[in-house]
Structures are given as structure tokens and as C-alpha cells.
């Protein structure tokens, strides 16, 4: 049996957080908020529609890396916002900074769809 079977198929555990970020998209600076994060990626909400395959660089000083590339996997509208699932390129080396972040602010228990 694969460790990726069952209801949770993610390769790495997700950590609930609520982190404000900004990224450059062309010449525009865009605000976003991360709702959950793992070594392989994150789920964030933003007011701009993004396309699968789109890549942006984000400054994440609390991870000790800068900049970090996000590659959009999928997106869906959530009210006037967009929930975006993104992969990190490359994946994070370990979970330690994520566990520390989640311990400081575990973020909302709701998914973005329930908040917006």
C-alpha cells in the first residue's frame, strides 16, 4: 500500500498558517495570503486570477530562503478572490521552519471557501 493512498494523498504534511505575502507579476506587486503550507507547496488566496503553469517569485524570509519560486498547479474562484494551489521550485529541505510557523499562528481552521 502506498503512503499516498487514502484520503490524504499529499507527499508532505500540510501546516495551517496565515501568512501575508507579496509577489511580482509583471510590473505589478500582488498581495496574497497563504492558508496552508508544506515542503512541496502551499495554498494561497489572491485577488488576481492566475493560470496553471504560471510561475512567480516570492520573498519568504521566515523560511530562510529568498526568493522562492511558486508554480501554479490549479486555481478556483472564491467569491471575489482566487484560491491558488502552488508547488515550490525546488521543494523545501525540511519541515522545521513550517512547524515553527504553524506553532506561532496556526491559521484558520476553515478553508478559504468558508472564509470568503
Amino acid at each position: 500500500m502506498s503512503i499516498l493512498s487514502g484520503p490524504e494523498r499529499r507527499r508532505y504534511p500540510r501546516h495551517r498558517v496565515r501568512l501575508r505575502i507579496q509577489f511580482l507579476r509583471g510590473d505589478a506587486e500582488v498581495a496574497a495570503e497563504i492558508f496552508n503550507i508544506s515542503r512541496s507547496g502551499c495554498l494561497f488566496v489572491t485577488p488576481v486570477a492566475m493560470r496553471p503553469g504560471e510561475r512567480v517569485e516570492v520573498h519568504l524570509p521566515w523560511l530562510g530562503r529568498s526568493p522562492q519560486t511558486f508554480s501554479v498547479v490549479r486555481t478556483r474562484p472564491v467569491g471575489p478572490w482566487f484560491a491558488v494551489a502552488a508547488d515550490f521550485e525546488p521543494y523545501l529541505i525540511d519541515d522545521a521552519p513550517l512547524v515553527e510557523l504553524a506553532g506561532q499562528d496556526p491559521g484558520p481552521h476553515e478553508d478559504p471557501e468558508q472564509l470568503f
Side-chain angles (χ1 to χ4, degrees):
M1 178 178 255
S2 167
I3 62 169
L4 300 178
S5 66
E8 181 59 63
R9 295 175 165 251
R10 288 176 173 75
R11 187 169 297 169
Y12 301 106
R14 290 181 294 172
H15 302 278
R16 288 191 179 271
V17 294
R18 193 133 186 208
L19 304 168
R20 291 191 174 117
I21 61 170
Q22 293 186 336
F23 59 89
L24 284 178
R25 189 169 189 234
D27 293 333
E29 194 168 299
V30 179
E33 194 164 356
I34 297 175
F35 276 73
N36 68 54
I37 191 168
S38 74
R39 286 177 54 191
S40 61
C42 66
L43 174 70
F44 65 93
V45 294
T46 185
V48 298
M50 300 183 78
R51 300 174 314 280
E54 186 173 350
R55 296 175 66 193
V56 295
E57 288 192 358
V58 182
H59 180 68
L60 304 175
W62 27 264
L63 291 181
R65 304 174 66 155
S66 184
Q68 178 67 49
T69 301
F70 285 12
S71 178
V72 175
V73 175
R74 67 184 169 279
T75 183
R76 66 183 181 278
V78 179
W81 298 82
F82 297 89
V84 179
D87 279 344
F88 292 147
E89 295 177 2
Y91 288 178
L92 304 178
I93 296 170
D94 67 59
D95 279 42
L98 306 179
V99 171
E100 185 177 331
L101 281 171
Q104 293 171 7
D105 181 2
H109 293 286
E110 300 84 11
D111 289 325
E113 291 83 356
Q114 296 168 320
L115 294 173
F116 296 96

